[in-house]
Amino acid sequence: MFDKVLIANRGAIAVRICRTLKSLGVSSLAIYAEDDRDSLHLKAADQTVSLGSGTLSDTYLNGKKIIEIALQHGAQAVHPGYGFLSENPEFAEACEAAGLVFLGPTAQQMRLFGLKHTARDLAEKASVPLLPGSGLVSDLQEALAAAENIGYPLMLKSTAGGGGIGMSLCYSASELEQAFDKTRQLSQNNFSSGDLFLEKFVSRARHIEVQVFGDGQGKAITLGERDCSAQRRNQKVIEEAPAPHLAESTRNRIQKVAEKLMCSVSYRSAGTVEFIYDVDADSFYFLEVNTRLQVEHGVTEEVFNVDLVQWMVQLGQSTLPDLDQLAAPLKPRGHAIQVRLYAENPAKDFQPSSGLLTQVDFPETDYLRLDHWIEPGMEISANYDPMLAKLIVKGADRSEAVARLTETLQQSQLYGFETNLDYLRQLAAAPDFIQGQLITSSLKNLQFESPLVEVLEPGTQTTLQDYPARGGYWQVGIPPSGPFDDYSFRLGNRLLGNAESCPGLECTLTGPSLKFYRSCRLLIAGAPMEARLDGEEVALWTPIEVEPGQQLSLGKITGQGCRTYLLIDGGFDC
């Protein structure tokens, strides 16, 4: 039995592991980098130790330091979570050599499945269906020759790594020629391996994966499948279980071949076998094995009512019941959907965001499972994966789960910097998602209309105001606020069809320059001010139609007064 387990991770998964350990009566030892000191996983842990400051190599990827901390503070095991060192065989071996139990698969299993071309060999031996592909190609000429046999389109893929990095889609020999050196260099830079291979590309594909748990003694069980087809640049955005619109015979076959593959290597702990599903042919093909807990494991836990982290800990301390005994009552019930909430700006090609979180509000319902690590007042660093939270909803069936997801996203609010929350709201309303018809290329065609208004130039003392705004605090020395010329402010809102209280911008003497990312109506009220939309002069006190990409430039006040108001339909949300 373990007294203490070190969690070699951060964020939402670290919070989750802390809570599971507590339910088992095991103490949790959490590590953290100094710029991560406010993360909620530190509040959830029984004991915390700083890794110091520096790069990832100095902190969360410093396996030697992590093992030293575990030994110094009396931990008997290490849980790697996902990401970082979770699929690092050298770290797993170093833990075992130091007398620590590594709560995950063996180092040998990581190596077998860590390289995609060796994983294909194992899958072939286990009679798992494979897409036409090649072995490792040493140079461009060998790749071109192999491509002629496979046929275009095809994927040029790095054998190492993951996360959609080191993959190029090629529709012709010329595209393969252009992509070869670039993909090889990208693979070398990210995974210290430039080895590449080719694989046939399925145009109308879904991404289906099977959750597996093995006892390390030759026995493994499956816990249904997940659909992870909602992807952007090969990164998953929405995951759900069970996979919708999958024939029962296909569902059974895909689980059986996944189980057979993992049994063939005596797989230990939690793992996932991923498949490409050809929608038109109703056929599936092996993609890869993830030798760790997946980010999306929560949807499987919700429909099967299990705790995979608990199983991993119990397996490590030899208290896990026999897998046949565990599998006997396992039946999926209901439907679960997960969305990944990221600190990123969809209006700017999803570039990462960072800064101070000023507000974090999620609904409290019995059908929402919230895995997160954030709270108001936290400074979010750009040094880590931008995922802030995983929102998992469950319903009696898929239609109820979809409705609950929509409601949950509408009731969630995050302020301080840009997130993908509005993007998730639009995706959840997309007909293909509602009907369960998403394929891996669907998100390329999603036209996101952002509510973002970008400040190009701030102007002089431009502030956000509403009416009647703050009041009732004179007793503590804070005067009332609100628009200086509240008559013009309220009249402008009424002319635009807004409530008088809708927030707007108050411009003093000179105004800002703004870029709009969605279609909207706006109105300029108050003191007369220079105003141009894409260089064309516009009138005050008149509703103006604005299209995505247009820029509004407000200049100097040209008449009496010193306050001008920019109002937008629905008001500014800030």
Side-chain angles (χ1 to χ4, degrees):
M1 297 289 289
F2 300 143
D3 295 319
K4 185 182 295 183
V5 172
L6 180 141
I7 304 164
N9 218 293
R10 64 178 293 278
I13 185 58
V15 174
R16 166 70 200 291
I17 296 169
C18 284
R19 291 172 178 168
T20 295
L21 290 173
K22 185 175 183 180
S23 71
L24 294 171
V26 179
S27 295
S28 53
L29 172 61
I31 56 175
Y32 65 98
E34 278 302 310
D35 59 357
D36 225 5
R37 69 175 69 89
D38 295 326
S39 173
L40 289 185
H41 81 276
L42 303 182
K43 294 182 179 180
D46 296 303
Q47 186 178 2
T48 64
V49 178
S50 174
L51 292 164
S53 302
T55 64
L56 279 176
S57 297
D58 299 321
T59 55
Y60 293 109
L61 293 179
N62 192 333
K64 182 179 179 181
K65 182 184 288 188
I66 291 171
I67 290 173
E68 288 174 354
I69 291 172
L71 296 175
Q72 289 171 3
H73 294 273
Q76 295 85 39
V78 173
H79 198 301
Y82 45 68
F84 294 134
L85 296 169
S86 61
E87 292 181 286
N88 186 305
E90 289 75 23
F91 178 66
E93 287 174 334
C95 287
E96 302 285 356
L100 298 167
V101 176
F102 181 80
L103 299 176
T106 68
Q108 176 65 8
Q109 288 163 353
M110 291 182 195
R111 290 192 176 99
L112 287 172
F113 290 118
L115 296 176
K116 297 182 181 69
H117 74 285
T118 57
R120 280 177 60 92
D121 291 341
L122 288 171
E124 186 173 19
K125 291 176 183 176
S127 300
V128 180
L130 290 173
L131 281 168
S134 73
L136 295 181
V137 289
S138 58
D139 55 36
L140 176 58
Q141 294 309 311
E142 188 176 348
L144 289 169
E148 288 301 316
N149 292 326
I150 297 168
Y152 295 95
L154 52 77
M155 294 291 291
L156 175 65
K157 303 173 75 170
S158 166
T159 188
I165 300 172
M167 298 170 60
S168 298
L169 175 58
C170 305
Y171 284 92
S172 65
S174 62
E175 290 188 10
L176 178 56
E177 291 175 0
Q178 294 173 12
F180 192 84
D181 288 338
K182 180 180 178 181
T183 306
R184 169 168 281 180
Q185 189 60 53
L186 190 65
S187 175
Q188 183 67 47
N189 292 344
N190 283 276
F191 311 123
S192 300
S193 171
D195 291 337
L196 305 175
F197 71 102
L198 304 175
E199 193 171 71
K200 181 68 176 175
F201 177 72
V202 177
S203 298
R204 283 178 40 82
R206 290 170 61 186
H207 186 123
I208 307 293
E209 58 186 36
V210 178
Q211 178 67 59
V212 183
F213 198 93
D215 64 3
Q217 305 298 318
K219 189 179 293 183
I221 59 173
T222 60
L223 293 92
E225 80 293 327
R226 301 183 284 257
D227 188 302
C228 307
S229 301
Q231 300 180 11
R232 188 187 60 79
R233 296 176 186 162
N234 300 310
Q235 290 277 18
K236 300 165 188 172
V237 180
I238 297 182
E239 301 101 346
E240 57 183 297
H245 307 304
L246 201 62
E248 203 60 31
S249 58
T250 303
R251 198 184 306 275
N252 292 333
R253 284 191 295 119
I254 203 169
Q255 292 182 33
K256 286 180 180 178
V257 297
E259 181 178 315
K260 183 180 178 182
L261 173 60
M262 301 301 249
C263 285
S264 71
V265 296
S266 297
Y267 189 81
R268 184 183 78 183
S269 195
T272 303
V273 186
E274 303 196 357
F275 297 89
I276 288 294
Y277 175 72
D278 189 327
V279 174
D280 297 324
D282 186 25
S283 300
F284 61 87
Y285 306 96
F286 175 76
L287 181 61
E288 63 180 345
V289 171
N290 278 292
T291 52
R292 56 173 168 80
L293 199 65
Q294 290 279 85
V295 175
E296 59 271 23
H297 72 278
V299 291
T300 294
E301 291 182 328
E302 289 302 302
V303 297
F304 280 92
N305 192 29
V306 298
D307 185 335
L308 291 171
V309 174
Q310 177 178 315
W311 285 13
M312 296 170 78
V313 175
Q314 289 176 324
L315 179 63
Q317 62 184 9
S318 301
T319 59
L320 184 73
D322 181 78
L323 288 188
D324 288 335
Q325 180 182 341
L326 283 175
L330 290 179
K331 290 184 180 179
R333 291 179 174 83
H335 197 96
I337 306 174
Q338 169 181 291
V339 295
R340 303 187 186 195
L341 183 59
Y342 283 120
E344 61 185 15
N345 188 344
K348 291 191 171 183
D349 201 26
F350 295 89
Q351 70 181 26
S353 303
S354 60
L356 181 69
L357 270 176
T358 57
Q359 184 176 342
V360 179
D361 286 323
F362 296 108
E364 295 183 8
T365 61
D366 57 1
Y367 56 77
L368 171 64
R369 168 176 160 178
L370 183 63
D371 288 1
H372 76 108
W373 58 281
I374 55 175
E375 63 183 355
M378 287 183 61
E379 190 76 31
I380 304 301
S381 168
N383 294 334
Y384 309 110
D385 182 273
M387 188 168 65
L388 300 172
K390 300 183 296 179
L391 282 65
I392 308 170
V393 297
K394 186 180 179 183
D397 53 29
R398 189 176 187 275
S399 61
E400 184 175 59
V402 169
R404 288 176 168 179
L405 175 65
T406 300
E407 184 176 354
T408 296
L409 292 172
Q410 291 300 328
Q411 294 178 0
S412 299
Q413 299 291 338
L414 279 89
Y415 291 94
F417 49 78
E418 287 301 311
T419 71
N420 70 333
L421 183 57
D422 282 306
Y423 178 79
L424 293 174
R425 289 168 177 160
Q426 289 189 33
L427 179 53
D432 281 351
F433 169 71
I434 293 173
Q435 296 162 14
Q437 301 288 352
L438 288 179
I439 58 177
T440 54
S441 60
S442 292
L443 267 56
K444 293 180 182 178
N445 303 317
L446 180 67
Q447 296 299 314
F448 174 62
E449 193 170 80
S450 172
L452 175 69
V453 178
E454 183 180 359
V455 180
L456 303 177
E457 296 289 340
T460 303
Q461 292 185 344
T462 304
T463 60
L464 192 73
Q465 300 290 347
D466 61 0
Y467 178 85
R470 181 185 62 217
Y473 294 97
W474 263 122
Q475 70 274 18
V476 291
I478 300 175
S481 62
F484 191 89
D485 178 4
D486 64 75
Y487 181 80
S488 292
F489 182 90
R490 289 182 290 147
L491 181 58
N493 263 328
R494 290 181 64 183
L495 287 172
L496 199 55
N498 286 342
E500 291 185 348
S501 59
C502 275
L505 292 182
E506 182 177 82
C507 311
T508 305
L509 299 178
T510 60
S513 292
L514 308 170
K515 181 179 180 179
F516 294 82
Y517 284 81
R518 70 170 174 89
S519 301
C520 61
R521 295 170 65 248
L522 54 83
L523 183 139
I524 304 167
M529 176 177 277
E530 297 171 347
R532 295 181 180 276
L533 183 65
D534 284 350
E536 297 292 327
E537 188 172 344
V538 294
L540 278 66
W541 297 104
T542 303
I544 303 165
E545 300 289 339
V546 176
E547 297 300 320
Q550 288 194 289
Q551 294 183 19
L552 177 71
S553 297
L554 299 180
K556 298 178 181 179
I557 285 181
T558 58
Q560 290 185 334
C562 60
R563 300 294 198 288
T564 303
Y565 297 94
L566 177 62
L567 307 164
I568 190 170
D569 55 342
F572 288 95
D573 182 18
C574 183

